[in-house]
C-alpha cells in the first residue's frame, strides 16, 4: 500500500483510501498487533497516575511557555547556535528549505548523504528533491530504510515501517539488497542493514538529521535514538545539516530531561533511548572528529499561521511522540497511509488541515468519533478533541477574518440546510412532539435506506422506534412537568 | 551564496514578524479557554501580553526521584542489563588487565583509546607483553584513519562523567583526548565507570554539571548497545552503533 | 423511564419538563455552533430551578456540563448556563455519588458486560460508578471487555459520515462483547447501545444491549 501524498490540488479522497485499508486484512492485523503492543508498553511506564499527571503538567507547561515566547526563543537559539559555530538558516516554505539544503550541499560538493529520521524532511519531500538534483540521500533509520527501499512513505511517525510484517521485510531485503540471501530471522535482517549502511556512513559526504528539541539557552540540538544511525549521520561525515520546525525550541536545558522522559515513554515504551545526543557545535578546537560544519535549517511551512490563534497554537506543543495515533481506534484500523499525509493519526487531523487547508483536507477533522483517547495520552496535554471541534466550526461557520487556511471553503450547502431544519424541529417543543409522534406511530414502516442511513443498516439491524416516547411515558406515569 | 543568504534573511524577518504580530494582536484578546494555557514551569518568566502570571508549576516530580547512594549502582545495573549492557568488575589497579583479558577471551585483536585519554598510559603499560588486543591510539584527525577505524578496530574504550540511576545510562563528554567515534564505530564499546559517580536523574546531572552555563560541543548519554524494534516490533541488537556495551566498574576511577 | 423510577423510589420528587428536546450535541459536534446554541438555549430555559439535573446519558451530560459554558461564551446568558452546568449529573454518578443507593437483586443469575461510553469515561471521569451499582447485585456476574476503553464507533454523525470505519469499530466491539459470554451488554449511553445492539442483532447474537437504568430497575423490582 504505497499511497504517495499528493500536493494539494483539490480534496484528497480520504474515504477511498480508508476503505481500501479497511479491506486489507494484512494492514488490519499488522496495525492491531503493533498498536496493542505500543499501548501496553506505554501503560506500563505510566502506571502511577499521580506521576503521569505531574510529569505531563510539567511537559505541557514547558511547551506552552516556549510557544508563548517563541519569537524571542528562536532569536536566542540562533544567537547561541552561531556563537557555538552552528550556522542557522531560515525557510518559510518547504521549497525554500529544500533550496537551502541543496545550496549547502553544493557548496561542499556533496552528492552522497546519509539521513537520520526527520519528519520535517518528509514534509519537504527532501529525498525526492535531492534525487532530482543529483544527490543520493539514503535513509539510515532501519524503518525508514525499509520504507525507502520499497518506494513508500512512512506510515507512523516513530515506527515508519509498522505497516509491514517480518515476512514482507524479509522479501524486500531478499529482492533489493545485493547479495542478500532470503531470511526471516530478525537478527540476520538487521545485520544485513548494518552492513549496507555502515559502508554508506563511512563514505557519505554529508549527514542530515531532524531535531527532537532545540535549546535556546545553550544553542543545543537534542537527538534521541536507539540504533546509532543518528550519531553516525551527524558525527562521521564532514558536514551535518539539521532540520527543525520553528516550534521545536524550548527555553532551558533543564526543560529537556522531563520532555525526553515523556517522549521516550510515550513513543516507544522506554524510560530512555539507547543514545541521547546533545550537539552544541561542530568539531571543536583540538577535537579529532565530528563534522567540520553544522547547519540548522529552521522551517515555518504554515506553523506561524497556526501560532497566530491562541487556541490552535496548542497544536504546536507536539513533541512528535506518536502516542495519539497509537491509541486512536480510527488509526488502528486504517493505518497511516490512508491519511495520505506526512503526519497521520490525531495530530495529523489537527495539523494537516491547518497547514494544507480545510478544503484540501476537508475530511480529516471530521474523521473522528471524538472518543478522546488521544487527548487522554498526549504528554503535553494538547486538547485534540477540542481542536477538532474548533476546526469543524471553522469549516462550517468561520468568524470573519478567521486565521485558518481555507476556512469555510469546504461548506456543503445541503448540510447547512439540514442543520437549519434540525434546529427548527429541536428548538420547538411542538414540532419535536410532532416528529416524535410520527416516529412512534409509524414504527412499523421500514427504516429509510437513503444514502448514509443505508450504510448504517448494511452492518447493523435497524433500530425500531419505541411504542411510546419518553415524554409520553413520563406524562402517563404522572411525572410532573416543569 | 549571497543570493541564498538574502532569501534566508528575508525569511527570518517575515517569520519573526508574523510571530510577533500574532502576539501583539493577542494582547487585546481574551485568554484562550480554560485548560489551554498551563502555567509556566518553575523558574521561567510569565508570558507577556495580558495574562496574569499564574503559580509556577512544580518540578517536584523530577526532584522526588532520589535513591540512597548505595542503591544507585544496583538500580543502574539492573536497568542497563535489561537492555543487554554487560558489566565487568575491576579495581583501580587491575582494570587494564581485566579489560585486556576480557577482550582477548572474546577474540578481539585491537583496542582503541584516545591518545590524550587517561586510559591510554595504563593500557599501554599493560599491553607491553605484546599479547592481544593490540592498543591503537586515536591520535590524528578521523580523515586520516577512517578506513581502519571502520574495519580493523574491534573495540573502543572511553571514560565517562558518571551514570544515571533512574533509567540507567552513562554520560559521556567526547573531547580531544577521547574522540566521539570511539564510542560509536567499533563494534564493542567499553566504558569505565566509578560507582560513586552516579546521579539520581539526568535532570540532576545536567544541573550539577553546569551545562546551562557552558555546554560542550558534544555530550551524550548511552544506555546500552545499539538496538531496534522496527522489524515487527521484535528487538534486535547491534544495528548501527556498537553491538556490545561493556561497563567496567572501577571504584575510585581509573586512577 | 427506568431512570426516573429509580430516582422516585429513593424518595425524590422528579420533574420531567415536557418541552425538552435535545442537548444540541449533534450540531455542536458538526461545527454548527449557532444551531446548537439555539436548541441548547431552549433547554436551558426549562431547567431554571436550582435542582440537580439528572441526565441518563454520558454524552448529553458531558455536553451540558463541559461544553455548554463554551457554547455560550460571550453570550449574555452565560451566567445562567454556567449555573445549570454546575447542576448537571449523569445518572449513575448521581445514584452513587449523591444518593448512595443500596440495591437488592431480585433477579436470576446472569452474566453481563459493561461498555463505558467515551464521553462518560473521558469527559466526566465516570468509570467506577456503574460497576459499583452492578456490583451491588448479588446474582449479577460482571465480566470485563478485553478492550473496555475502546470507542464503539458511534460518535454521532461519525457513524453516518464514515460508515466503513464505524462498521469496523463496532464489529470489533461486538466481537469483544460476544467473547465475554455475557447475556447482556449494558451502557449508559443510548447512542452506543443503538450501535452495538444493532450490530449484535445483525450478527444473529442473542446478547441484549440495554441501558443500565433499565437493567437496574428490572433487577431490583422483581420484574
Amino acid at each position: 500500500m504505497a499511497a504517495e501524498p499528493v500536493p494539494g490540488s483539490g480534496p484528497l479522497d480520504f474515504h477511498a483510501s480508508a476503505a481500501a485499508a479497511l479491506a486489507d486484512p494484512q494492514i488490519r492485523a499488522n496495525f492491531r498487533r503493533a498498536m496493542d503492543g505500543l499501548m501496553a508498553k506505554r501503560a506500563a511506564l505510566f502506571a502511577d497516575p499521580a506521576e503521569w499527571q505531574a510529569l505531563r503538567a510539567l511537559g505541557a507547561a514547558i511547551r506552552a511557555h516556549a510557544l508563548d515566547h517563541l519569537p524571542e526563543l528562536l532569536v536566542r537559539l540562533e544567537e547561541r547556535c552561531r556563537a557555538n559555530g552552528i550556522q542557522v538558516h531560515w525557510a518559510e516554505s518547504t521549497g525554500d528549505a529544500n533550496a537551502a539544503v541543496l545550496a549547502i550541499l553544493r557548496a561542499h560538493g556533496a552528492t552522497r548523504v546519509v539521513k537520520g529520521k526527520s519528519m520535517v524532511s518528509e514534509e519537504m519531500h527532501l529525498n525526492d528533491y535531492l534525487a532530482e538534483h543529483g544527490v543520493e540521500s539514503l535513509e539510515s533509520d532501519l524503518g525508514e530504510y525499509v520504507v525507502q527501499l520499497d518506494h513508500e512513505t512512512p506510515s507512523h511517525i516513530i515506527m515508519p515501517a509498522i505497516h509491514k510484517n517480518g515476512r514482507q521485510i524479509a522479501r524486500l531485503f531478499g529482492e533489493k539488497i545485493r547479495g542478500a540471501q532470503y531470511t526471516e530471522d530478525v537478527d540476520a535482517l538487521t545485520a544485513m542493514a548494518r552492513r549496507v549502511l555502515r559502508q554508506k556512513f563511512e563514505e557519505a559526504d554529508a549527514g542530515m538529521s531532524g531535531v527532537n528539541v532545540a535549546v535556546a539557552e545553550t544553542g543545543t540540538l537534542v537527538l534521541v535514538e536507539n540504533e546509532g544511525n543518528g550519531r553516525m549521520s551527524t558525527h562521521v561525515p564532514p558536514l551535518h545539516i539539521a532540520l527543525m520546525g520553528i516550534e521545536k525550541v524550548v527555553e532551558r536545558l533543564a526543560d529537556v530531561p522531563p520532555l525526553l522522559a515523556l517522549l521516550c515513554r510515550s513513543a516507544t515504551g522506554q524510560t530512555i533511548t539507547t543514545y541521547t545526543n546533545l550537539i552544541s557545535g561542530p568539531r571543536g578546537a583540538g577535537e579529532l572528529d565530528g563534522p567540520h560544519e553544522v547547519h540548522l535549517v529552521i522551517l515555518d511551512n504554515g506553523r506561524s499561521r497556526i501560532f497566530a490563534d491562541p487556541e490552535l497554537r496548542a497544536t504546536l506543543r507536539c513533541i512528535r511522540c506518536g502516542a495519539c495515533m497509537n491509541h486512536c481506534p480510527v488509526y488502528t484500523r486504517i493505518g497511516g497511509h490512508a491519511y495520505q499525509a506526512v503526519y497521520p493519526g490525531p495530530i495529523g487531523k489537527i495539523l494537516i488541515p491547518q497547514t494544507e487547508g480545510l478544503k484540501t483536507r476537508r475530511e480529516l477533522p471530521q474523521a473522528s468519533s471524538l472518543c478522546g483517547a488521544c487527548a487522554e495520552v498526549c504528554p503535553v496535554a494538547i486538547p485534540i478533541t477540542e481542536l477538532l471541534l474548533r476546526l469543524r466550526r471553522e469549516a462550517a461557520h468561520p468568524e470573519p477574518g478567521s486565521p485558518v487556511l481555507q476556512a469555510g471553503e469546504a461548506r456543503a450547502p445541503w448540510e447547512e440546510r439540514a442543520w437549519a431544519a434540525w434546529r427548527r424541529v429541536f428548538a420547538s417543543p411542538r414540532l419535536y412532539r410532532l416528529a416524535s409522534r410520527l416516529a412512534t406511530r409509524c414504527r412499523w414502516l421500514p427504516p429509510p435506506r437513503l444514502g448514509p442511513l443505508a450504510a448504517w443498516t448494511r452492518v447493523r439491524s435497524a433500530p425500531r422506534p419505541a411504542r411510546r416516547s419518553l415524554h409520553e411515558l413520563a406524562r402517563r406515569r404522572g411525572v410532573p412537568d416543569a | 551564496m549571497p543570493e541564498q543568504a538574502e532569501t534566508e534573511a528575508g525569511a527570518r524577518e517575515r517569520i519573526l514578524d508574523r510571530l510577533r504580530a500574532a502576539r501583539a494582536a493577542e494582547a487585546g484578546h481574551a485568554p484562550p479557554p480554560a485548560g489551554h494555557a498551563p502555567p509556566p514551569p518553575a523558574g521561567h518568566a510569565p508570558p507577556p501580553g495580558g495574562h496574569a502570571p499564574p503559580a509556577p508549576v512544580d518540578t517536584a516530580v523530577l526532584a522526588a526521584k532520589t535513591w540512597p547512594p548505595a542503591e544507585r549502582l544496583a538500580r543502574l545495573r539492573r536497568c542497563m542489563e535489561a537492555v543487554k549492557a554487560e558489566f565487568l568488575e575491576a579495581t583501580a589497579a587491575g582494570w587494564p588487565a581485566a579489560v585486556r583479558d576480557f577482550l582477548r577471551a572474546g577474540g578481539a585483536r585491537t583496542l582503541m583509546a584516545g591518545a590524550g585519554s587517561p586510559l591510554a598510559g595504563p593500557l599501554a603499560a599493560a599491553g607491553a607483553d605484546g599479547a592481544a588486543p593490540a592498543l591503537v591510539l586515536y591520535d590524528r584527525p578521523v580523515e586520516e584513519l577512517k578506513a581502519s577505524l571502520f574495519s580493523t578496530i574491534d573495540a573502543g574504550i572511553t571514560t565517562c562523567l558518571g551514570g544515571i540511576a533512574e533509567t540507567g545510562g552513562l554520560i559521556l563528554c567526547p573531547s580531544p583526548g577521547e574522540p566521539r567515534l570511539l564510542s560509536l564505530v567499533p563494534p564493542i564499546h567499553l566504558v569505565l565507570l566509578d560507582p560513586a559517580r552516579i546521579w539520581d536523574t539526568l535532570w540532576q546531572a545536567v544541573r550539577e554539571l553546569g551545562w546551562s552555563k557552558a555546554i560542550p560541543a558534544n555530550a551524550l548519554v548511552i544506555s546500552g548497545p545499539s538496538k531496534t524494534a522496527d522489524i515487527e516490533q521484535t528487538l534486535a541488537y547491534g544495528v548501527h552503533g556498537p553491538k556490545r556495551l561493556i561497563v567496567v566498574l572501577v571504584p575510585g576511577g581509573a586512577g | 423511564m427506568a431512570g426516573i423510577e429509580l430516582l422516585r423510589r429513593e424518595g425524590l420528587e422528579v420533574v420531567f419538563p415536557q418541552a425538552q428536546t435535545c442537548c444540541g450535541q449533534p450540531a455542536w459536534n458538526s461545527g454548527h455552533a449557532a444551531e446548537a446554541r439555539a436548541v441548547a438555549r431552549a433547554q436551558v430555559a426549562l431547567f431554571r430551578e436550582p435542582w440537580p439535573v439528572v441526565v441518563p446519558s454520558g454524552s448529553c451530560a458531558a455536553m451540558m456540563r463541559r461544553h455548554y459554558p463554551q457554547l455560550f461564551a460571550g453570550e449574555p446568558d452565560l451566567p445562567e448556563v454556567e449555573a445549570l452546568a454546575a447542576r448537571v449529573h449523569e445518572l449513575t454518578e448521581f445514584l452513587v455519588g449523591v444518593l448512595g443507593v443500596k440495591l437488592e437483586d431480585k433477579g436470576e443469575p446472569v452474566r453481563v458486560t459493561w461498555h463505558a461510553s467515551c464521553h462518560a469515561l473521558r469527559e466526566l471521569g465516570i468509570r467506577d460508578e456503574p460497576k459499583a451499582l452492578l456490583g451491588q447485585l448479588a446474582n449479577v456476574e460482571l465480566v470485563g471487555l478485553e478492550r473496555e476503553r475502546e470507542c464503539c464507533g458511534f460518535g454521532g454523525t461519525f457513524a453516518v459520515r464514515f460508515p466503513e470505519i464505524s462498521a469496523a469499530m463496532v464489529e470489533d466491539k461486538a466481537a469483544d462483547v460476544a467473547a465475554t459470554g455475557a447475556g447482556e451488554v449494558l451502557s449508559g449511553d443510548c447512542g452506543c447501545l443503538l450501535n452495538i445492539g444493532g450490530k449484535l442483532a445483525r450478527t444473529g447474537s442473542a446478547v441484549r444491549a440495554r441501558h443500565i437504568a433499565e437493567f437496574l430497575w428490572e433487577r431490583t423490582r422483581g420484574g
Side-chain angles (χ1 to χ4, degrees):
Chain A
M1 276 251 100
E4 285 296 321
V6 174
S9 55
L12 293 149
D13 195 347
F14 176 76
H15 281 280
S17 55
L22 287 169
D24 183 337
Q26 195 66 72
I27 289 188
R28 298 286 295 268
N30 289 358
F31 276 94
R32 180 86 265 179
R33 187 193 56 245
M35 297 304 111
D36 278 351
L38 289 169
M39 287 196 276
K41 284 169 131 178
R42 177 198 167 277
L45 290 178
F46 282 125
D48 178 1
E51 192 202 342
W52 157 244
Q53 293 300 338
L55 197 53
R56 171 203 228 198
L58 185 54
I62 289 170
R63 290 297 298 138
H65 172 83
L67 290 172
D68 281 336
H69 294 265
L70 192 60
E72 293 77 47
L73 290 183
L74 285 170
V75 168
R76 198 176 329 158
L77 174 70
E78 180 189 47
E79 266 165 29
R80 294 305 320 158
C81 281
R82 291 223 164 110
N84 290 343
I86 298 174
Q87 299 179 50
V88 180
H89 310 260
W90 300 73
E92 286 183 278
S93 68
T94 52
D96 293 340
N98 282 326
V101 168
L102 186 63
I104 300 166
L105 292 174
R106 287 228 162 111
H108 287 77
T111 57
R112 293 167 307 175
V113 173
V114 278
K115 258 189 92 256
K117 205 156 78 63
S118 158
M119 293 311 297
V120 165
S121 74
E122 298 290 333
E123 278 179 65
M124 291 159 63
H125 300 287
L126 177 64
N127 291 350
D128 290 339
Y129 176 85
L130 290 179
E132 282 165 33
H133 290 83
V135 176
E136 174 198 84
S137 176
L138 183 66
E139 294 290 345
S140 64
D141 169 273
L142 184 56
E144 290 283 353
Y145 174 70
V146 165
V147 153
Q148 187 177 43
L149 262 187
D150 212 12
H151 303 291
E152 285 184 320
T153 53
S155 62
H156 188 281
I157 64 175
I158 301 293
M159 316 209 64
I162 205 163
H163 57 290
K164 287 190 167 349
N165 62 25
R167 215 164 312 130
Q168 289 166 315
I169 296 178
R171 217 175 318 139
L172 184 65
F173 276 24
E175 284 167 25
K176 298 278 177 85
I177 298 183
R178 213 175 359 187
Q181 299 278 52
Y182 181 88
T183 173
E184 290 179 17
D185 177 59
V186 172
D187 288 327
L189 290 168
T190 306
M192 260 186 237
R194 181 186 169 97
R195 188 176 35 87
V196 170
L197 282 157
R198 195 168 169 88
Q199 196 182 353
K200 298 290 185 177
F201 292 132
E202 194 185 333
E203 296 170 351
D205 305 316
M208 301 196 55
S209 76
V211 175
N212 290 107
V213 189
V215 184
E217 180 182 43
T218 53
T220 301
L221 311 176
V222 181
L223 283 142
V224 296
E225 56 154 339
N226 284 307
E227 296 178 17
N229 66 298
R231 291 180 66 207
M232 281 288 199
S233 302
T234 56
H235 291 326
V236 177
L239 171 64
H240 168 210
I241 306 175
L243 307 165
M244 70 175 253
I246 57 171
E247 83 282 24
K248 281 301 199 71
V249 62
V250 296
E251 183 175 3
R252 297 173 150 208
L253 196 58
D255 295 336
V256 173
L259 284 183
L260 293 187
L262 287 165
L263 175 61
C264 296
R265 295 193 215 182
S266 302
T268 49
Q270 304 174 277
T271 54
I272 187 173
T273 44
T274 309
Y275 306 106
T276 304
N277 208 10
L278 299 160
I279 295 174
S280 308
R283 189 184 303 197
E287 275 200 270
L288 299 179
D289 57 22
H292 290 288
E293 280 187 30
V294 177
H295 294 253
L296 173 66
V297 178
I298 303 179
L299 174 65
D300 183 351
N301 196 28
R303 290 159 170 77
S304 58
R305 189 190 187 118
I306 299 175
F307 178 85
D309 184 282
E311 181 182 15
L312 292 170
R313 185 181 301 168
T315 311
L316 300 177
R317 282 192 219 156
C318 181
I319 58 174
R320 305 287 191 258
C321 72
C324 59
M325 59 195 80
N326 294 345
H327 290 75
C328 176
V330 173
Y331 178 87
T332 301
R333 287 170 181 82
I334 68 177
H337 287 146
Y339 294 79
Q340 298 181 71
V342 175
Y343 301 97
I347 184 63
K349 284 183 185 146
I350 56 175
L351 181 60
I352 298 290
Q354 293 188 71
T355 55
E356 294 185 21
L358 281 174
K359 181 178 179 193
T360 308
R361 294 294 191 166
R362 74 177 77 208
E363 300 296 354
L364 288 184
Q366 309 292 342
S368 165
S369 67
L370 299 177
C371 78
C374 51
E376 196 177 34
V377 298
C378 176
V380 288
I382 301 174
I384 300 176
T385 41
E386 297 299 315
L387 298 185
L388 283 168
L389 286 169
R390 169 72 192 277
L391 290 176
R392 292 181 185 188
R393 291 197 293 280
E394 294 289 342
H397 289 291
E399 299 282 314
S402 159
V404 182
L405 192 56
Q406 296 174 358
E409 285 180 41
R411 246 191 299 227
W414 71 262
E415 216 187 297
E416 308 227 338
R417 284 196 287 276
W419 286 111
W422 174 89
R423 189 205 46 218
R424 261 196 298 281
V425 173
F426 284 84
S428 156
R430 200 170 38 88
L431 280 176
Y432 175 81
R433 201 169 25 242
L434 196 62
S436 162
R437 194 159 296 166
L438 259 173
T440 52
R441 298 301 178 266
C442 301
R443 62 196 292 264
W444 48 268
L445 278 174
R449 283 176 200 275
L450 304 161
L453 298 175
W456 176 278
T457 51
R458 218 178 297 135
V459 297
R460 304 170 191 74
S461 298
R464 251 263 133 98
R467 208 182 313 264
R468 297 196 207 292
S469 70
L470 177 57
H471 289 62
E472 282 192 71
L473 282 174
R475 223 180 7 253
R476 283 164 175 260
R477 304 267 180 94
V479 181
D481 193 353
Chain B
M1 223 125 302
E3 210 178 277
Q4 181 66 26
E6 255 174 61
T7 313
E8 292 175 16
R12 178 187 188 279
E13 288 326 304
R14 285 188 295 276
I15 294 171
L16 290 173
D17 282 346
R18 275 196 293 272
L19 298 176
R20 288 173 184 140
R23 259 237 314 267
E26 195 187 332
H29 293 166
H36 293 226
H44 292 246
H51 302 255
V57 166
D58 221 338
T59 48
V61 65
L62 302 175
K65 301 223 167 198
T66 62
W67 292 268
E71 265 180 52
R72 286 182 205 148
L73 173 62
R75 193 184 161 93
L76 175 145
R77 186 161 178 169
R78 200 172 49 243
C79 290
M80 293 185 73
E81 283 179 332
V83 289
K84 303 278 197 282
E86 298 161 67
F87 282 75
L88 189 60
E89 290 174 37
T91 62
W95 71 263
V99 163
R100 290 175 49 76
D101 291 343
F102 177 87
L103 287 172
R104 191 181 323 109
R109 288 153 306 172
T110 51
L111 168 66
M112 193 177 224
S117 163
L119 309 182
L123 282 169
D129 59 3
L135 180 67
V136 180
L137 292 180
Y138 200 146
D139 59 0
R140 66 201 71 171
V142 64
E143 288 77 9
E144 295 172 39
L145 46 62
K146 198 198 277 194
S148 60
L149 173 63
F150 267 80
S151 55
T152 68
I153 305 299
D154 296 325
I157 186 165
T158 67
T159 58
C160 70
L161 295 180
I164 299 168
E166 181 197 5
T167 55
L170 305 167
I171 303 181
L172 268 75
C173 190
S175 63
E178 282 190 342
R180 308 176 188 199
L181 300 183
L182 266 180
S183 60
L184 178 63
V185 176
I188 300 174
H189 174 215
L190 302 114
V191 194
L192 260 68
L193 171 66
D194 176 358
R197 290 187 55 77
I198 299 179
W199 289 280
D200 289 312
T201 59
L202 177 61
W203 182 69
Q204 187 202 10
V206 160
R207 280 146 62 98
E208 284 187 23
L209 287 166
W211 280 346
S212 53
K213 299 286 184 299
I215 194 163
N218 183 224
L220 69 149
V221 183
I222 300 181
S223 68
S226 126
K227 59 183 181 284
T228 182
D230 269 325
I231 299 180
E232 231 176 78
Q233 295 84 58
T234 310
L235 260 184
Y237 287 87
V239 198
H240 305 297
K243 296 184 188 178
R244 293 172 73 187
L245 175 72
I246 323 288
V247 183
V248 185
L249 297 171
V250 182
Chain C
M1 195 60 220
I4 296 177
E5 301 292 9
L6 283 168
L7 293 170
R8 292 214 287 194
R9 188 169 67 186
E10 298 300 315
L12 291 177
E13 184 192 336
V14 179
V15 171
F16 180 91
Q18 283 288 328
Q20 65 183 272
T21 59
C22 172
C23 66
Q25 186 175 63
W28 170 252
N29 280 359
S30 300
H32 295 265
E35 282 76 6
R37 195 162 34 241
V39 170
R41 191 163 267 141
Q43 314 312 305
V44 171
L46 303 173
F47 294 93
R48 287 220 165 90
E49 291 80 6
W51 308 329
V53 177
V54 179
V55 183
S57 158
S59 53
C60 303
M63 178 69 193
M64 296 174 77
R65 184 195 292 170
R66 297 283 304 270
H67 293 286
Y68 268 18
Q70 221 183 327
L71 183 56
F72 286 83
E75 296 285 316
D77 41 354
L78 177 63
E80 190 188 343
V81 170
E82 283 176 326
L84 169 62
R87 284 184 277 119
V88 168
H89 301 260
E90 188 272 343
L91 177 65
T92 63
E93 189 184 56
F94 192 75
L95 289 172
V96 175
V98 177
L99 295 181
V101 299
K102 294 285 171 273
L103 301 172
E104 192 194 326
D105 194 354
K106 299 195 174 122
E108 292 301 305
V110 71
R111 177 186 284 189
V112 304
T113 188
W114 170 256
H115 168 73
S117 88
C118 296
H119 289 278
L121 196 59
R122 296 193 178 97
E123 292 206 275
L124 300 175
I126 295 169
R127 195 190 48 184
D128 302 322
E129 292 86 336
K131 295 183 182 175
L133 289 168
L134 294 170
Q136 289 187 32
L137 302 176
N139 288 339
V140 171
E141 184 199 351
L142 176 61
V143 177
L145 289 169
E146 192 195 328
R147 293 214 174 83
E148 189 179 304
R149 298 173 74 87
E150 191 174 70
C151 180
C152 71
F154 180 64
T157 50
F158 173 76
V160 170
R161 272 190 205 269
F162 297 91
E164 295 96 352
I165 305 177
S166 173
M169 288 165 74
V170 75
E171 186 184 326
D172 288 345
K173 182 63 75 171
D176 199 351
V177 168
T180 62
E184 306 205 33
V185 53
L186 307 174
S187 179
D189 222 295
C190 283
C192 302
L193 287 167
L194 211 63
N195 185 32
I196 301 172
K199 180 64 185 176
L200 286 167
R202 173 53 72 91
T203 59
S205 166
V207 178
R208 257 178 107 179
R210 275 215 281 178
H211 194 285
I212 186 173
E214 206 187 302
F215 182 77
L216 293 174
W217 180 243
E218 186 196 275
R219 298 291 299 189
T220 55
R221 69 200 284 248

